[in-house]
Amino acid sequence: MELKLALKIDDLDNVATIFAEGLEEGMVVEVRDKRGHSERIPLKAAIPYGHKLALCDLKEGDLIMKYGECIGTASAAIPKGDYVHVHNLKARRGRGDL
Amino acid sequence: MQYTFQGYRRPDGKVGARNLVAVIPTVICANDVGQAICRQVQGTIGYFHHQGCCQLPTDLKRVTDTLSNLGQSANVGAVLLVSLGCEGTDHARIFEEIRATKKPVEIIRIQELGGTSRAIQAGIDAAQRLVMEISGLQRETADASKIIMSIKCGASDSTSGLASNAVIGYVADKLVDLGGTVIFGETTEFLGGEHILANRAVGGADGPVGQKIYEIVNRMEARAKSIGEDMRGGQPTPGNIAGGLSSIEEKSLGAIVKSGHRPIQGVLEYCDRIDDKKGLWIKDAPGREPEILTGMACTGAQAMMFSTGRGAPQGFPSMPVIKICGNPNTFQHMEHDMDLNAGRIIIGEKSIEEVGEEAFALLLRVLSGQMTKNEALGYFGSMDIFCLGPVI
């Protein structure tokens, strides 16, 4: 079976980035960390190439971590294996008028 | 474990990874003479920039400082300055500052010598003398703490943040832990992530280093606004969002990750030297290759680690540039330009740490004399100096 890979860049991260095409709900991805250790996680949604899945259950308001840093907060509860993107991740900053 | 490389020890204590005679035109109008000298004399390189006259005093000082610090950098063993005679840069100061490092330096002046052909003849004789004088110098063992590595990404794609920048971040952390020096720039790419960098500054976000990080980003934004452009509006772009980036922080972090996780010791201005300062530093430099590579080389970096996804081929005259390619397809497609395939992380063959160790070993070999692909191809001629004001 073809490897469905996702990468967790930093030990502090709670999301990983998918490097496989055509992933649908129910399919299993292999999440690797920077040392090459892996965990298999079933997806709770279809997720495109280059997009993110949650590595643990997240509550609304939890910090979303990638690269060992905060990239935003969860704007809703996000279960492990679900799709994380602009629909459930709120940027904390970045607008010029704030 | 002790890590070392084989380098050229300079009279001022610095250690070079190359032993070049630098031909430095002190103004664009001297470039053709400099190029003729470099074509003839083996062991020379030239800094063929486009500045040095009809600029505001601030910029003339920047050009003078940058050329002087390039000449003082450890990969340069001797210098031939090529002056026209009426330029705006202070060529006498460049000469004196390089001479103070005790490396051989000569100067020729085109107007004084009687024009192009006579200057080329005098320049070839001088460059040949300098090459003969330094070419017998032998490499000696130097500790990894003597390494000054610059880092950059260019022609990036979605693999850069995940693979090649993560690999460079691993190398940066390892080098800082060994007592070495790492410098990164590309102030444009900090936008949206400046608070993350400021929090990593020695003394925290409210200390002088943290505040300086905000200052250089604001300065860069203000320059864009002065010609009516808002760089922060509409970030991340619809294309970024379609590609999977959910916030401007995530976009910026893709670039920032190559600096690793160590504290930021300070911020250098574009023309500053690092000398023997250690740890992780920022240099305020734009992202475009000819200008940032010059800025990094004049800092004193002996090598650069350069992350790419789409495939950036260029190097720099006196600083080996190691191309770490995050995209496995690009690596195969452009393997004569790419030094290391970090795309193996994306296809699951290797981990970030495994490729990071390979990259660090390659860095030591390149510092010890192994050519990078762009060096072997001679793809390193384009360079320029980042100026602020108008040409007048």
Side-chain angles (χ1 to χ4, degrees):
Chain A
M1 198 187 85
E2 196 194 338
L3 178 66
K4 312 278 192 225
L5 184 71
L7 283 175
K8 174 185 176 181
I9 305 299
D10 193 273
D11 294 341
L12 296 174
D13 294 359
N14 52 21
V15 294
T17 305
I18 298 230
F19 282 94
E21 303 278 359
L23 289 185
E24 301 292 337
E25 182 180 349
M27 291 173 129
V28 175
V29 288
E30 184 167 329
V31 178
R32 299 233 183 124
D33 70 9
K34 64 181 175 186
R35 279 173 290 276
H37 300 151
S38 63
E39 180 188 357
R40 291 163 62 81
I41 299 179
L43 295 183
K44 294 219 164 53
I47 306 182
Y49 184 98
H51 291 233
K52 297 176 288 297
L53 75 144
L55 298 178
C56 58
D57 292 332
L58 295 164
K59 298 187 302 293
E60 184 179 344
D62 280 356
L63 302 183
I64 297 178
M65 304 291 288
K66 182 180 172 185
Y67 302 112
E69 300 284 354
C70 177
I71 60 166
T73 56
S75 58
I78 308 173
K80 181 174 178 175
D82 205 357
Y83 184 22
V84 179
H85 200 21
V86 286
H87 60 286
N88 55 12
L89 179 151
K90 192 170 151 225
R92 299 172 84 205
R93 118 175 252 289
R95 282 170 51 188
D97 53 350
L98 292 180
Chain B
M1 180 168 173
Q2 202 198 353
Y3 293 95
T4 60
F5 69 103
Q6 299 295 311
Y8 297 99
R9 207 166 289 279
R10 303 296 175 203
D12 60 359
K14 293 174 184 161
V15 182
R18 298 292 179 266
N19 193 36
L20 300 160
V21 171
V23 174
I24 308 184
T26 52
V27 61
I28 180 175
C29 321
N31 277 0
D32 286 64
V33 169
Q35 282 161 353
I37 296 165
C38 284
R39 269 195 298 274
Q40 188 61 47
V41 185
Q42 211 184 131
T44 59
I45 52 93
Y47 297 124
F48 301 117
H49 62 93
H50 299 86
Q51 316 300 333
C53 208
C54 300
Q55 296 180 277
L56 298 172
T58 309
D59 278 337
L60 290 173
K61 180 177 182 302
R62 279 172 86 88
V63 175
T64 301
D65 288 343
T66 303
L67 294 176
S68 176
N69 288 336
L70 284 171
Q72 293 176 57
S73 64
N75 287 2
V76 170
V79 174
L80 173 63
L81 296 172
V82 182
S83 160
L84 178 62
C86 57
E87 60 266 39
T89 47
D90 188 348
H91 48 82
R93 171 158 78 82
I94 299 172
F95 182 86
E96 287 307 324
E97 287 176 354
I98 295 171
R99 194 165 69 168
T101 68
K102 299 194 170 59
K103 68 176 74 167
V105 52
E106 297 197 28
I107 185 166
I108 57 168
R109 297 177 183 85
I110 297 168
Q111 289 165 347
E112 188 182 292
L113 283 163
T116 306
S117 57
R118 292 188 182 108
I120 290 171
Q121 186 185 349
I124 287 173
D125 290 346
Q128 184 194 26
R129 258 194 317 274
L130 293 168
V131 167
M132 299 301 292
E133 185 173 346
I134 69 165
S135 59
L137 191 66
Q138 300 295 303
R139 289 181 183 267
E140 298 171 31
T141 302
D143 188 75
S145 61
K146 286 285 189 183
I147 297 172
I148 304 166
M149 177 179 79
S150 58
I151 55 183
K152 178 192 162 34
C153 51
S156 301
D157 69 11
S158 61
T159 65
S160 300
L162 283 302
S164 41
N165 285 358
V167 163
I168 293 178
Y170 177 86
V171 175
D173 283 347
K174 181 165 179 135
L175 190 52
V176 169
D177 293 344
L178 289 168
T181 307
V182 176
I183 315 152
F184 70 115
E186 298 173 276
T187 311
T188 334
E189 310 223 323
F190 300 168
L191 205 72
E194 61 267 47
H195 59 296
I196 295 164
L197 288 172
N199 284 331
R200 280 173 56 196
V202 166
D206 296 327
V209 177
Q211 289 300 302
K212 183 79 182 175
I213 291 170
Y214 284 114
E215 183 192 321
I216 63 172
V217 175
N218 292 339
R219 218 160 57 177
M220 180 265 306
E221 273 193 280
R223 279 199 297 273
K225 274 185 186 149
S226 75
I227 57 164
E229 302 289 348
D230 176 8
M231 298 179 70
R232 205 176 287 261
Q235 293 284 352
T237 65
N240 293 150
I241 292 170
L245 296 175
S246 308
S247 65
I248 192 171
E249 289 96 317
E250 186 180 6
K251 180 178 178 173
S252 298
L253 277 163
I256 290 171
V257 65
K258 68 182 180 291
S259 67
H261 295 90
R262 297 297 173 259
I264 295 163
Q265 303 295 324
V267 178
L268 302 168
E269 295 291 344
Y270 179 76
C271 345
D272 288 348
R273 287 193 316 274
I274 190 99
D275 291 330
D276 46 14
K277 294 192 267 296
K278 304 296 183 188
L280 179 65
W281 289 74
I282 287 175
K283 168 159 269 202
D284 181 24
R288 196 168 75 166
E289 279 78 2
E291 287 85 358
I292 189 171
L293 268 59
T294 301
M296 291 303 184
C298 88
T299 307
Q302 302 119 326
M304 169 176 276
M305 210 162 258
F306 187 123
S307 157
T308 187
R310 295 175 63 89
Q314 68 274 54
F316 188 79
S318 60
M319 176 179 66
V321 178
I322 302 167
K323 293 290 161 63
I324 313 286
C325 184
N327 186 319
N329 300 325
T330 304
F331 183 84
Q332 285 184 345
H333 197 54
M334 293 182 66
E335 71 168 301
H336 298 292
D337 296 291
M338 300 294 117
D339 292 285
L340 190 68
N341 182 5
R344 289 170 297 161
I345 296 165
I346 302 293
I347 55 175
E349 280 181 14
K350 293 271 179 186
S351 69
I352 291 168
E353 289 195 357
E354 285 170 325
V355 181
E357 282 296 320
E358 289 180 27
F360 187 76
L362 176 59
L363 172 69
L364 296 180
R365 292 201 303 277
V366 166
L367 289 167
S368 301
Q370 179 178 312
M371 282 194 183
T372 62
K373 290 194 174 163
N374 60 71
E375 281 185 291
L377 285 171
Y379 198 155
F380 50 69
S382 295
M383 57 85 67
D384 219 326
I385 300 166
F386 175 47
C387 293
L388 298 173
V391 171
I392 51 177

